[in-house]
Amino acid sequence: MSSERFLKEVQAIGEKFLLKLQKLPKAEPVEIVSFSVVLLFIVTVLVLTIIACSCCCCSCCGCDGRPDPRHRKSQVRPAAR
């Protein structure tokens, strides 16, 4: 997918979202609740993704940006006889 087409898709989704927000005060209660549930789901997924990525980065590199020596892989060699 080209970046131009992707930008058009994102713009179309944004326009639909804004149109939905503009119609929301006049909507029925069921529609308001369903829109809120979908919005809550999207926010939850984004927050969980950010938490997962930050935990992964912190466990690999530590908070100071250096690799954590405890997580270094070591090679196991057979015992000498």
Side-chain angles (χ1 to χ4, degrees):
M1 180 186 281
S2 68
S3 62
E4 191 174 304
R5 185 175 171 199
F6 177 73
L7 289 175
K8 286 181 182 178
E9 283 290 324
V10 170
Q11 184 178 6
I13 291 171
E15 287 173 0
K16 288 179 186 177
F17 182 73
L18 287 176
L19 183 64
K20 193 69 146 172
L21 281 176
Q22 289 172 351
K23 291 182 180 180
L24 203 57
K26 302 172 194 169
E28 296 179 16
V30 174
E31 192 174 357
I32 294 172
V33 170
S34 63
F35 183 76
S36 300
V37 168
V38 169
L39 195 62
L40 181 66
F41 175 76
I42 291 170
V43 169
T44 303
V45 168
L46 289 174
V47 167
L48 290 175
T49 303
I50 291 169
I51 291 171
C53 289
S54 66
C55 288
C56 180
C57 290
C58 285
S59 69
C60 292
C61 301
C63 292
D64 56 359
R66 293 182 309 211
D68 191 358
R70 293 177 292 170
H71 293 281
R72 209 174 349 162
K73 294 182 180 179
S74 60
Q75 294 182 349
V76 177
R77 297 182 184 179
R81 292 184 185 202

